[in-house]
C-alpha cells in the first residue's frame, strides 16, 4: 500500500514536499513514480526514480517540471519524496505516487497506486 501526503494550498512561487510511504512490500526493489491529474485532464507523468536511490539513482522528469521538482527516496524510511519548488498555477492537480517493477514514465507500468494528495497553487 502507498500513502501519499504533503499536499496543500499555496501561492505561486512557493514550495511543497510530497511524501509517499510504502508498506506491505519490498520497497527497495521497486521503481517509484509520481503522476498528477488536473480536473478534466488525463493523468500525466511527473517524475520517476529507479530502485537504487542515492546519488546514482536513475531519475526522470516531465519537461514541465524539470528544474523545479526533485524526486528522491529514503530506503530506511520506505518513503519517496517529491520536492516541488517554484510552483505554478498549472501545477494544480491531484498527485499520485505509484510503484512499478520497471523504471518507466508510463502509467501503465505501475501496478500499485496511492490515494492521491491535492496540490492547489493560486496565482
Amino acid at each position: 500500500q502507498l500513502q501519499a501526503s504533503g499536499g496543500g494550498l499555496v501561492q505561486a512561487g512557493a514550495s511543497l514536499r510530497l511524501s509517499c510511504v510504502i508498506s506491505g512490500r519490498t520497497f527497495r526493489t521497486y521503481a517509484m513514480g509520481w503522476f498528477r491529474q488536473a480536473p478534466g485532464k488525463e493523468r500525466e507523468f511527473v517524475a520517476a526514480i529507479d530502485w537504487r536511490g542515492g546519488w546514482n539513482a536513475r531519475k526522470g522528469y516531465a519537461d514541465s517540471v524539470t528544474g523545479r521538482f526533485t524526486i528522491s527516496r529514503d530506503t530506511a524510511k520506505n518513503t519517496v519524496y517529491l520536492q516541488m519548488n517554484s510552483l505554478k498555477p498549472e501545477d494544480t492537480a491531484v498527485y499520485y505516487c505509484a510503484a512499478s517493477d520497471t523504471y518507466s514514465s508510463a502509467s501503465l507500468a505501475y501496478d500499485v497506486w496511492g490515494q492521491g494528495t491535492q496540490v492547489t497553487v493560486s496565482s
Side-chain angles (χ1 to χ4, degrees):
Q1 279 65 37
L2 307 181
Q3 182 71 38
S5 62
L9 171 63
V10 297
Q11 291 188 334
S15 298
L16 282 174
R17 188 177 78 159
L18 305 184
S19 300
C20 178
V21 179
I22 300 92
S23 62
R25 57 196 305 167
T26 307
F27 170 70
R28 64 184 63 202
T29 65
Y30 286 89
M32 299 297 299
W34 286 97
F35 294 78
R36 67 187 182 186
Q37 188 167 18
K41 296 186 177 180
E42 294 186 352
R43 187 172 298 184
E44 65 175 2
F45 169 74
V46 176
I49 186 169
D50 71 7
W51 63 272
R52 291 172 291 182
W55 63 271
N56 63 339
R58 181 181 181 185
K59 302 177 183 181
Y61 300 92
D63 290 344
S64 59
V65 306
T66 297
R68 299 188 298 122
F69 290 12
T70 302
I71 189 171
S72 62
R73 64 192 295 164
D74 185 332
T75 302
K77 296 182 179 180
N78 282 1
T79 302
V80 62
Y81 302 99
L82 185 68
Q83 178 66 44
M84 305 186 296
N85 299 329
S86 302
L87 283 161
K88 305 175 180 180
E90 50 263 44
D91 294 318
T92 295
V94 177
Y95 284 71
Y96 299 89
C97 61
S100 173
D101 291 329
T102 305
Y103 174 86
S104 175
S105 62
S107 61
L108 290 177
Y110 292 79
D111 61 344
V112 181
W113 291 79
Q115 85 288 2
T117 184
Q118 176 71 47
V119 172
T120 304
V121 184
S122 63
S123 58

mmCIF file of all heavy atoms in Angstrom, residues 31-80:
data_model
loop_
_atom_site.group_PDB
_atom_site.id
_atom_site.type_symbol
_atom_site.label_atom_id
_atom_site.label_comp_id
_atom_site.label_asym_id
_atom_site.label_seq_id
_atom_site.Cartn_x
_atom_site.Cartn_y
_atom_site.Cartn_z
ATOM 1 N N ALA A 31 10.768 0.515 -8.605
ATOM 2 C CA ALA A 31 10.844 1.886 -9.087
ATOM 3 C C ALA A 31 9.600 2.621 -8.605
ATOM 4 O O ALA A 31 8.540 2.021 -8.420
ATOM 5 C CB ALA A 31 10.909 1.916 -10.608
ATOM 6 N N MET A 32 9.746 3.912 -8.367
ATOM 7 C CA MET A 32 8.638 4.713 -7.860
ATOM 8 C C MET A 32 8.405 5.899 -8.784
ATOM 9 O O MET A 32 9.354 6.468 -9.340
ATOM 10 C CB MET A 32 8.951 5.223 -6.452
ATOM 11 C CG MET A 32 9.178 4.126 -5.432
ATOM 12 S SD MET A 32 7.709 3.095 -5.177
ATOM 13 C CE MET A 32 6.547 4.328 -4.584
ATOM 14 N N GLY A 33 7.151 6.264 -8.906
ATOM 15 C CA GLY A 33 6.815 7.391 -9.763
ATOM 16 C C GLY A 33 5.787 8.292 -9.118
ATOM 17 O O GLY A 33 5.057 7.888 -8.213
ATOM 18 N N TRP A 34 5.784 9.523 -9.583
ATOM 19 C CA TRP A 34 4.743 10.489 -9.234
ATOM 20 C C TRP A 34 4.012 10.876 -10.522
ATOM 21 O O TRP A 34 4.646 11.145 -11.552
ATOM 22 C CB TRP A 34 5.336 11.742 -8.591
ATOM 23 C CG TRP A 34 5.806 11.566 -7.183
ATOM 24 C CD1 TRP A 34 7.076 11.319 -6.754
ATOM 25 C CD2 TRP A 34 4.998 11.633 -5.999
ATOM 26 N NE1 TRP A 34 7.110 11.230 -5.391
ATOM 27 C CE2 TRP A 34 5.844 11.413 -4.897
ATOM 28 C CE3 TRP A 34 3.636 11.855 -5.758
ATOM 29 C CZ2 TRP A 34 5.389 11.418 -3.570
ATOM 30 C CZ3 TRP A 34 3.182 11.852 -4.454
ATOM 31 C CH2 TRP A 34 4.051 11.636 -3.380
ATOM 32 N N PHE A 35 2.709 10.890 -10.411
ATOM 33 C CA PHE A 35 1.858 11.315 -11.509
ATOM 34 C C PHE A 35 0.880 12.350 -10.965
ATOM 35 O O PHE A 35 0.712 12.477 -9.757
ATOM 36 C CB PHE A 35 1.083 10.119 -12.086
ATOM 37 C CG PHE A 35 1.965 9.103 -12.753
ATOM 38 C CD1 PHE A 35 2.698 8.190 -12.011
ATOM 39 C CD2 PHE A 35 2.078 9.074 -14.127
ATOM 40 C CE1 PHE A 35 3.535 7.271 -12.620
ATOM 41 C CE2 PHE A 35 2.902 8.155 -14.758
ATOM 42 C CZ PHE A 35 3.627 7.251 -14.001
ATOM 43 N N ARG A 36 0.234 13.071 -11.865
ATOM 44 C CA ARG A 36 -0.758 14.047 -11.424
ATOM 45 C C ARG A 36 -1.911 14.085 -12.406
ATOM 46 O O ARG A 36 -1.760 13.764 -13.582
ATOM 47 C CB ARG A 36 -0.130 15.425 -11.262
ATOM 48 C CG ARG A 36 0.336 16.080 -12.551
ATOM 49 C CD ARG A 36 1.089 17.378 -12.241
ATOM 50 N NE ARG A 36 1.509 18.055 -13.460
ATOM 51 C CZ ARG A 36 2.282 19.135 -13.476
ATOM 52 N NH1 ARG A 36 2.718 19.660 -12.322
ATOM 53 N NH2 ARG A 36 2.615 19.703 -14.622
ATOM 54 N N GLN A 37 -3.040 14.503 -11.883
ATOM 55 C CA GLN A 37 -4.225 14.628 -12.717
ATOM 56 C C GLN A 37 -4.975 15.892 -12.335
ATOM 57 O O GLN A 37 -5.417 16.030 -11.189
ATOM 58 C CB GLN A 37 -5.133 13.401 -12.588
ATOM 59 C CG GLN A 37 -6.283 13.400 -13.569
ATOM 60 C CD GLN A 37 -6.976 12.057 -13.641
ATOM 61 O OE1 GLN A 37 -6.853 11.209 -12.755
ATOM 62 N NE2 GLN A 37 -7.711 11.833 -14.724
ATOM 63 N N ALA A 38 -5.093 16.783 -13.295
ATOM 64 C CA ALA A 38 -5.841 18.018 -13.102
ATOM 65 C C ALA A 38 -7.283 17.794 -13.544
ATOM 66 O O ALA A 38 -7.563 16.898 -14.347
ATOM 67 C CB ALA A 38 -5.204 19.141 -13.910
ATOM 68 N N PRO A 39 -8.208 18.599 -13.049
ATOM 69 C CA PRO A 39 -9.615 18.438 -13.430
ATOM 70 C C PRO A 39 -9.801 18.507 -14.941
ATOM 71 O O PRO A 39 -9.293 19.410 -15.602
ATOM 72 C CB PRO A 39 -10.296 19.624 -12.738
ATOM 73 C CG PRO A 39 -9.420 19.940 -11.584
ATOM 74 C CD PRO A 39 -8.032 19.669 -12.049
ATOM 75 N N GLY A 40 -10.497 17.511 -15.476
ATOM 76 C CA GLY A 40 -10.780 17.490 -16.905
ATOM 77 C C GLY A 40 -9.629 17.055 -17.781
ATOM 78 O O GLY A 40 -9.742 17.080 -19.009
ATOM 79 N N LYS A 41 -8.529 16.641 -17.162
ATOM 80 C CA LYS A 41 -7.358 16.219 -17.927
ATOM 81 C C LYS A 41 -6.978 14.793 -17.580
ATOM 82 O O LYS A 41 -7.364 14.258 -16.554
ATOM 83 C CB LYS A 41 -6.183 17.158 -17.663
ATOM 84 C CG LYS A 41 -6.409 18.588 -18.126
ATOM 85 C CD LYS A 41 -5.148 19.410 -17.968
ATOM 86 C CE LYS A 41 -5.356 20.824 -18.493
ATOM 87 N NZ LYS A 41 -4.117 21.639 -18.349
ATOM 88 N N GLU A 42 -6.189 14.200 -18.455
ATOM 89 C CA GLU A 42 -5.707 12.849 -18.203
ATOM 90 C C GLU A 42 -4.567 12.868 -17.198
ATOM 91 O O GLU A 42 -3.880 13.882 -17.027
ATOM 92 C CB GLU A 42 -5.243 12.214 -19.513
ATOM 93 C CG GLU A 42 -6.362 11.976 -20.520
ATOM 94 C CD GLU A 42 -5.894 11.215 -21.739
ATOM 95 O OE1 GLU A 42 -4.682 11.001 -21.876
ATOM 96 O OE2 GLU A 42 -6.758 10.843 -22.553
ATOM 97 N N ARG A 43 -4.375 11.740 -16.562
ATOM 98 C CA ARG A 43 -3.252 11.603 -15.639
ATOM 99 C C ARG A 43 -1.950 11.710 -16.416
ATOM 100 O O ARG A 43 -1.809 11.134 -17.493
ATOM 101 C CB ARG A 43 -3.334 10.265 -14.913
ATOM 102 C CG ARG A 43 -2.313 10.087 -13.823
ATOM 103 C CD ARG A 43 -2.588 8.817 -13.033
ATOM 104 N NE ARG A 43 -3.888 8.862 -12.366
ATOM 105 C CZ ARG A 43 -4.330 7.913 -11.552
ATOM 106 N NH1 ARG A 43 -3.578 6.849 -11.303
ATOM 107 N NH2 ARG A 43 -5.515 8.006 -10.994
ATOM 108 N N GLU A 44 -0.994 12.438 -15.881
ATOM 109 C CA GLU A 44 0.272 12.626 -16.575
ATOM 110 C C GLU A 44 1.455 12.328 -15.665
ATOM 111 O O GLU A 44 1.392 12.487 -14.448
ATOM 112 C CB GLU A 44 0.390 14.056 -17.120
ATOM 113 C CG GLU A 44 0.444 15.140 -16.065
ATOM 114 C CD GLU A 44 0.677 16.525 -16.665
ATOM 115 O OE1 GLU A 44 0.757 16.652 -17.900
ATOM 116 O OE2 GLU A 44 0.798 17.481 -15.877
ATOM 117 N N PHE A 45 2.518 11.929 -16.299
ATOM 118 C CA PHE A 45 3.760 11.626 -15.602
ATOM 119 C C PHE A 45 4.393 12.901 -15.072
ATOM 120 O O PHE A 45 4.392 13.934 -15.744
ATOM 121 C CB PHE A 45 4.719 10.932 -16.578
ATOM 122 C CG PHE A 45 6.127 10.791 -16.089
ATOM 123 C CD1 PHE A 45 6.446 9.867 -15.116
ATOM 124 C CD2 PHE A 45 7.130 11.600 -16.609
ATOM 125 C CE1 PHE A 45 7.753 9.737 -14.672
ATOM 126 C CE2 PHE A 45 8.431 11.473 -16.175
ATOM 127 C CZ PHE A 45 8.747 10.535 -15.205
ATOM 128 N N VAL A 46 4.948 12.805 -13.866
ATOM 129 C CA VAL A 46 5.667 13.926 -13.268
ATOM 130 C C VAL A 46 7.140 13.579 -13.072
ATOM 131 O O VAL A 46 8.020 14.291 -13.546
ATOM 132 C CB VAL A 46 5.045 14.331 -11.920
ATOM 133 C CG1 VAL A 46 5.872 15.446 -11.267
ATOM 134 C CG2 VAL A 46 3.599 14.777 -12.104
ATOM 135 N N ALA A 47 7.401 12.469 -12.369
ATOM 136 C CA ALA A 47 8.785 12.107 -12.076
ATOM 137 C C ALA A 47 8.860 10.632 -11.705
ATOM 138 O O ALA A 47 7.874 10.048 -11.263
ATOM 139 C CB ALA A 47 9.344 12.955 -10.932
ATOM 140 N N ALA A 48 10.043 10.053 -11.885
ATOM 141 C CA ALA A 48 10.264 8.657 -11.516
ATOM 142 C C ALA A 48 11.681 8.472 -11.028
ATOM 143 O O ALA A 48 12.595 9.229 -11.403
ATOM 144 C CB ALA A 48 9.990 7.738 -12.702
ATOM 145 N N ILE A 49 11.870 7.460 -10.200
ATOM 146 C CA ILE A 49 13.193 7.127 -9.683
ATOM 147 C C ILE A 49 13.305 5.611 -9.646
ATOM 148 O O ILE A 49 12.351 4.916 -9.314
ATOM 149 C CB ILE A 49 13.416 7.752 -8.289
ATOM 150 C CG1 ILE A 49 14.843 7.537 -7.800
ATOM 151 C CG2 ILE A 49 12.407 7.226 -7.277
ATOM 152 C CD1 ILE A 49 15.196 8.371 -6.556
ATOM 153 N N ASP A 50 14.477 5.108 -9.986
ATOM 154 C CA ASP A 50 14.613 3.652 -10.000
ATOM 155 C C ASP A 50 14.832 3.120 -8.599
ATOM 156 O O ASP A 50 14.839 3.869 -7.620
ATOM 157 C CB ASP A 50 15.690 3.207 -10.982
ATOM 158 C CG ASP A 50 17.107 3.530 -10.531
ATOM 159 O OD1 ASP A 50 17.305 3.992 -9.395
ATOM 160 O OD2 ASP A 50 18.022 3.318 -11.354
ATOM 161 N N TRP A 51 15.046 1.823 -8.485
ATOM 162 C CA TRP A 51 15.079 1.167 -7.176
ATOM 163 C C TRP A 51 16.301 1.536 -6.354
ATOM 164 O O TRP A 51 16.312 1.394 -5.130
ATOM 165 C CB TRP A 51 15.038 -0.343 -7.361
ATOM 166 C CG TRP A 51 16.251 -0.870 -8.105
ATOM 167 C CD1 TRP A 51 16.417 -1.000 -9.442
ATOM 168 C CD2 TRP A 51 17.477 -1.301 -7.508
ATOM 169 N NE1 TRP A 51 17.658 -1.476 -9.731
ATOM 170 C CE2 TRP A 51 18.335 -1.680 -8.570
ATOM 171 C CE3 TRP A 51 17.924 -1.413 -6.203
ATOM 172 C CZ2 TRP A 51 19.613 -2.161 -8.342
ATOM 173 C CZ3 TRP A 51 19.209 -1.899 -5.974
ATOM 174 C CH2 TRP A 51 20.033 -2.263 -7.036
ATOM 175 N N ARG A 52 17.347 2.081 -6.985
ATOM 176 C CA ARG A 52 18.593 2.248 -6.263
ATOM 177 C C ARG A 52 18.559 3.372 -5.236
ATOM 178 O O ARG A 52 19.116 3.239 -4.153
ATOM 179 C CB ARG A 52 19.729 2.490 -7.258
ATOM 180 C CG ARG A 52 20.067 1.269 -8.089
ATOM 181 C CD ARG A 52 21.054 1.607 -9.183
ATOM 182 N NE ARG A 52 20.456 2.456 -10.202
ATOM 183 C CZ ARG A 52 21.108 2.856 -11.286
ATOM 184 N NH1 ARG A 52 22.367 2.510 -11.474
ATOM 185 N NH2 ARG A 52 20.508 3.620 -12.184
ATOM 186 N N GLY A 53 17.934 4.467 -5.582
ATOM 187 C CA GLY A 53 18.045 5.628 -4.712
ATOM 188 C C GLY A 53 19.469 6.136 -4.705
ATOM 189 O O GLY A 53 20.288 5.741 -5.521
ATOM 190 N N GLY A 54 19.797 7.036 -3.811
ATOM 191 C CA GLY A 54 21.169 7.502 -3.679
ATOM 192 C C GLY A 54 21.628 8.364 -4.840
ATOM 193 O O GLY A 54 20.862 8.723 -5.732
ATOM 194 N N TRP A 55 22.937 8.636 -4.854
ATOM 195 C CA TRP A 55 23.484 9.571 -5.824
ATOM 196 C C TRP A 55 23.448 9.012 -7.241
ATOM 197 O O TRP A 55 23.458 9.769 -8.216
ATOM 198 C CB TRP A 55 24.927 9.917 -5.463
ATOM 199 C CG TRP A 55 25.854 8.734 -5.505
ATOM 200 C CD1 TRP A 55 26.138 7.883 -4.494
ATOM 201 C CD2 TRP A 55 26.591 8.271 -6.642
ATOM 202 N NE1 TRP A 55 27.002 6.915 -4.930
ATOM 203 C CE2 TRP A 55 27.313 7.128 -6.231
ATOM 204 C CE3 TRP A 55 26.720 8.727 -7.957
ATOM 205 C CZ2 TRP A 55 28.150 6.422 -7.104
ATOM 206 C CZ3 TRP A 55 27.554 8.026 -8.828
ATOM 207 C CH2 TRP A 55 28.260 6.887 -8.391
ATOM 208 N N ASN A 56 23.441 7.715 -7.386
ATOM 209 C CA ASN A 56 23.493 7.115 -8.719
ATOM 210 C C ASN A 56 22.137 6.618 -9.196
ATOM 211 O O ASN A 56 22.047 5.871 -10.175
ATOM 212 C CB ASN A 56 24.495 5.967 -8.753
ATOM 213 C CG ASN A 56 24.101 4.833 -7.822
ATOM 214 O OD1 ASN A 56 23.335 5.036 -6.899
ATOM 215 N ND2 ASN A 56 24.640 3.655 -8.061
ATOM 216 N N ALA A 57 21.079 7.020 -8.516
ATOM 217 C CA ALA A 57 19.744 6.601 -8.934
ATOM 218 C C ALA A 57 19.384 7.208 -10.279
ATOM 219 O O ALA A 57 19.735 8.349 -10.573
ATOM 220 C CB ALA A 57 18.718 7.018 -7.889
ATOM 221 N N ARG A 58 18.704 6.441 -11.066
ATOM 222 C CA ARG A 58 18.196 6.945 -12.326
ATOM 223 C C ARG A 58 16.906 7.715 -12.038
ATOM 224 O O ARG A 58 16.012 7.197 -11.379
ATOM 225 C CB ARG A 58 17.918 5.799 -13.292
ATOM 226 C CG ARG A 58 17.402 6.243 -14.651
ATOM 227 C CD ARG A 58 17.130 5.046 -15.541
ATOM 228 N NE ARG A 58 16.660 5.448 -16.862
ATOM 229 C CZ ARG A 58 16.266 4.603 -17.795
ATOM 230 N NH1 ARG A 58 16.300 3.296 -17.566
ATOM 231 N NH2 ARG A 58 15.846 5.051 -18.950
ATOM 232 N N LYS A 59 16.838 8.933 -12.515
ATOM 233 C CA LYS A 59 15.673 9.778 -12.297
ATOM 234 C C LYS A 59 15.204 10.368 -13.617
ATOM 235 O O LYS A 59 16.021 10.618 -14.517
ATOM 236 C CB LYS A 59 16.009 10.916 -11.323
ATOM 237 C CG LYS A 59 16.505 10.453 -9.974
ATOM 238 C CD LYS A 59 16.871 11.644 -9.102
ATOM 239 C CE LYS A 59 17.446 11.189 -7.772
ATOM 240 N NZ LYS A 59 17.797 12.343 -6.903
ATOM 241 N N GLY A 60 13.914 10.587 -13.700
ATOM 242 C CA GLY A 60 13.363 11.207 -14.892
ATOM 243 C C GLY A 60 12.253 12.168 -14.527
ATOM 244 O O GLY A 60 11.572 11.985 -13.514
ATOM 245 N N TYR A 61 12.092 13.182 -15.345
ATOM 246 C CA TYR A 61 11.104 14.223 -15.076
ATOM 247 C C TYR A 61 10.357 14.609 -16.353
ATOM 248 O O TYR A 61 10.914 14.559 -17.456
ATOM 249 C CB TYR A 61 11.789 15.476 -14.516
ATOM 250 C CG TYR A 61 12.527 15.260 -13.227
ATOM 251 C CD1 TYR A 61 13.880 14.937 -13.215
ATOM 252 C CD2 TYR A 61 11.868 15.355 -12.004
ATOM 253 C CE1 TYR A 61 14.560 14.725 -12.028
ATOM 254 C CE2 TYR A 61 12.544 15.149 -10.812
ATOM 255 C CZ TYR A 61 13.889 14.822 -10.843
ATOM 256 O OH TYR A 61 14.555 14.609 -9.654
ATOM 257 N N ALA A 62 9.130 15.024 -16.151
ATOM 258 C CA ALA A 62 8.394 15.635 -17.253
ATOM 259 C C ALA A 62 9.043 16.976 -17.582
ATOM 260 O O ALA A 62 9.596 17.649 -16.699
ATOM 261 C CB ALA A 62 6.939 15.842 -16.852
ATOM 262 N N ASP A 63 8.973 17.359 -18.829
ATOM 263 C CA ASP A 63 9.578 18.626 -19.246
ATOM 264 C C ASP A 63 9.010 19.805 -18.444
ATOM 265 O O ASP A 63 9.741 20.749 -18.115
ATOM 266 C CB ASP A 63 9.340 18.863 -20.736
ATOM 267 C CG ASP A 63 10.144 17.909 -21.608
ATOM 268 O OD1 ASP A 63 11.099 17.288 -21.092
ATOM 269 O OD2 ASP A 63 9.794 17.781 -22.792
ATOM 270 N N SER A 64 7.749 19.721 -18.118
ATOM 271 C CA SER A 64 7.079 20.843 -17.447
ATOM 272 C C SER A 64 7.573 21.072 -16.019
ATOM 273 O O SER A 64 7.328 22.152 -15.457
ATOM 274 C CB SER A 64 5.571 20.612 -17.430
ATOM 275 O OG SER A 64 5.262 19.411 -16.751
ATOM 276 N N VAL A 65 8.246 20.081 -15.433
ATOM 277 C CA VAL A 65 8.689 20.237 -14.037
ATOM 278 C C VAL A 65 10.203 20.179 -13.904
ATOM 279 O O VAL A 65 10.733 20.394 -12.800
ATOM 280 C CB VAL A 65 8.048 19.172 -13.122
ATOM 281 C CG1 VAL A 65 6.524 19.182 -13.267
ATOM 282 C CG2 VAL A 65 8.608 17.789 -13.390
ATOM 283 N N THR A 66 10.896 19.888 -14.967
ATOM 284 C CA THR A 66 12.357 19.785 -14.915
ATOM 285 C C THR A 66 12.964 21.096 -14.424
ATOM 286 O O THR A 66 12.622 22.172 -14.916
ATOM 287 C CB THR A 66 12.909 19.434 -16.300
ATOM 288 O OG1 THR A 66 12.414 18.143 -16.689
ATOM 289 C CG2 THR A 66 14.429 19.381 -16.288
ATOM 290 N N GLY A 67 13.857 20.956 -13.455
ATOM 291 C CA GLY A 67 14.498 22.130 -12.871
ATOM 292 C C GLY A 67 13.746 22.710 -11.688
ATOM 293 O O GLY A 67 14.285 23.534 -10.954
ATOM 294 N N ARG A 68 12.515 22.272 -11.483
ATOM 295 C CA ARG A 68 11.722 22.780 -10.353
ATOM 296 C C ARG A 68 11.400 21.680 -9.345
ATOM 297 O O ARG A 68 11.321 21.940 -8.141
ATOM 298 C CB ARG A 68 10.411 23.385 -10.860
ATOM 299 C CG ARG A 68 10.593 24.549 -11.803
ATOM 300 C CD ARG A 68 9.248 25.233 -12.118
ATOM 301 N NE ARG A 68 8.318 24.332 -12.786
ATOM 302 C CZ ARG A 68 7.109 24.024 -12.324
ATOM 303 N NH1 ARG A 68 6.681 24.523 -11.165
ATOM 304 N NH2 ARG A 68 6.312 23.207 -13.023
ATOM 305 N N PHE A 69 11.201 20.462 -9.816
ATOM 306 C CA PHE A 69 10.824 19.342 -8.954
ATOM 307 C C PHE A 69 12.009 18.388 -8.825
ATOM 308 O O PHE A 69 12.789 18.203 -9.764
ATOM 309 C CB PHE A 69 9.647 18.575 -9.540
ATOM 310 C CG PHE A 69 8.334 19.303 -9.526
ATOM 311 C CD1 PHE A 69 8.251 20.665 -9.237
ATOM 312 C CD2 PHE A 69 7.153 18.628 -9.803
ATOM 313 C CE1 PHE A 69 7.039 21.330 -9.223
ATOM 314 C CE2 PHE A 69 5.929 19.270 -9.798
ATOM 315 C CZ PHE A 69 5.873 20.628 -9.515
ATOM 316 N N THR A 70 12.107 17.746 -7.663
ATOM 317 C CA THR A 70 13.144 16.751 -7.422
ATOM 318 C C THR A 70 12.543 15.540 -6.739
ATOM 319 O O THR A 70 11.878 15.681 -5.709
ATOM 320 C CB THR A 70 14.267 17.319 -6.544
ATOM 321 O OG1 THR A 70 14.827 18.478 -7.165
ATOM 322 C CG2 THR A 70 15.367 16.279 -6.344
ATOM 323 N N ILE A 71 12.780 14.382 -7.308
ATOM 324 C CA ILE A 71 12.315 13.133 -6.697
ATOM 325 C C ILE A 71 13.475 12.483 -5.955
ATOM 326 O O ILE A 71 14.625 12.533 -6.397
ATOM 327 C CB ILE A 71 11.723 12.185 -7.763
ATOM 328 C CG1 ILE A 71 11.035 10.992 -7.094
ATOM 329 C CG2 ILE A 71 12.799 11.738 -8.758
ATOM 330 C CD1 ILE A 71 10.237 10.127 -8.078
ATOM 331 N N SER A 72 13.165 11.890 -4.820
ATOM 332 C CA SER A 72 14.191 11.190 -4.040
ATOM 333 C C SER A 72 13.515 10.089 -3.246
ATOM 334 O O SER A 72 12.293 10.048 -3.140
ATOM 335 C CB SER A 72 14.930 12.157 -3.112
ATOM 336 O OG SER A 72 14.024 12.737 -2.176
ATOM 337 N N ARG A 73 14.339 9.205 -2.697
ATOM 338 C CA ARG A 73 13.777 8.130 -1.881
ATOM 339 C C ARG A 73 14.680 7.852 -0.701
ATOM 340 O O ARG A 73 15.908 7.988 -0.790
ATOM 341 C CB ARG A 73 13.543 6.871 -2.718
ATOM 342 C CG ARG A 73 14.772 6.226 -3.284
ATOM 343 C CD ARG A 73 14.400 5.179 -4.333
ATOM 344 N NE ARG A 73 13.662 4.063 -3.785
ATOM 345 C CZ ARG A 73 12.970 3.189 -4.526
ATOM 346 N NH1 ARG A 73 12.919 3.329 -5.843
ATOM 347 N NH2 ARG A 73 12.327 2.186 -3.967
ATOM 348 N N ASP A 74 14.072 7.477 0.395
ATOM 349 C CA ASP A 74 14.781 7.106 1.611
ATOM 350 C C ASP A 74 14.423 5.654 1.901
ATOM 351 O O ASP A 74 13.322 5.366 2.391
ATOM 352 C CB ASP A 74 14.372 8.031 2.759
ATOM 353 C CG ASP A 74 15.172 7.777 4.020
ATOM 354 O OD1 ASP A 74 15.641 6.639 4.232
ATOM 355 O OD2 ASP A 74 15.323 8.726 4.817
ATOM 356 N N THR A 75 15.355 4.773 1.605
ATOM 357 C CA THR A 75 15.077 3.346 1.758
ATOM 358 C C THR A 75 14.818 2.973 3.211
ATOM 359 O O THR A 75 13.951 2.159 3.512
ATOM 360 C CB THR A 75 16.249 2.530 1.204
ATOM 361 O OG1 THR A 75 16.450 2.870 -0.171
ATOM 362 C CG2 THR A 75 15.974 1.045 1.321
ATOM 363 N N ALA A 76 15.552 3.594 4.130
ATOM 364 C CA ALA A 76 15.392 3.287 5.557
ATOM 365 C C ALA A 76 13.989 3.636 6.043
ATOM 366 O O ALA A 76 13.463 2.998 6.961
ATOM 367 C CB ALA A 76 16.446 4.024 6.370
ATOM 368 N N LYS A 77 13.382 4.640 5.440
ATOM 369 C CA LYS A 77 12.051 5.085 5.850
ATOM 370 C C LYS A 77 10.954 4.583 4.919
ATOM 371 O O LYS A 77 9.787 4.937 5.099
ATOM 372 C CB LYS A 77 12.011 6.604 5.926
ATOM 373 C CG LYS A 77 12.925 7.200 6.987
ATOM 374 C CD LYS A 77 12.781 8.714 7.039
ATOM 375 C CE LYS A 77 13.673 9.302 8.117
ATOM 376 N NZ LYS A 77 13.543 10.788 8.195
ATOM 377 N N ASN A 78 11.330 3.793 3.922
ATOM 378 C CA ASN A 78 10.351 3.300 2.947
ATOM 379 C C ASN A 78 9.515 4.425 2.364
ATOM 380 O O ASN A 78 8.288 4.320 2.223
ATOM 381 C CB ASN A 78 9.427 2.253 3.583
ATOM 382 C CG ASN A 78 10.084 0.892 3.698
ATOM 383 O OD1 ASN A 78 11.240 0.719 3.321
ATOM 384 N ND2 ASN A 78 9.361 -0.061 4.235
ATOM 385 N N THR A 79 10.175 5.514 2.038
ATOM 386 C CA THR A 79 9.466 6.708 1.616
ATOM 387 C C THR A 79 10.094 7.293 0.363
ATOM 388 O O THR A 79 11.320 7.320 0.234
ATOM 389 C CB THR A 79 9.477 7.766 2.743
ATOM 390 O OG1 THR A 79 8.877 7.212 3.913
ATOM 391 C CG2 THR A 79 8.705 9.010 2.333
ATOM 392 N N VAL A 80 9.248 7.776 -0.529
ATOM 393 C CA VAL A 80 9.711 8.522 -1.686
ATOM 394 C C VAL A 80 9.142 9.935 -1.572
ATOM 395 O O VAL A 80 8.031 10.134 -1.077
ATOM 396 C CB VAL A 80 9.279 7.847 -3.003
ATOM 397 C CG1 VAL A 80 7.767 7.778 -3.125
ATOM 398 C CG2 VAL A 80 9.870 8.559 -4.198
#
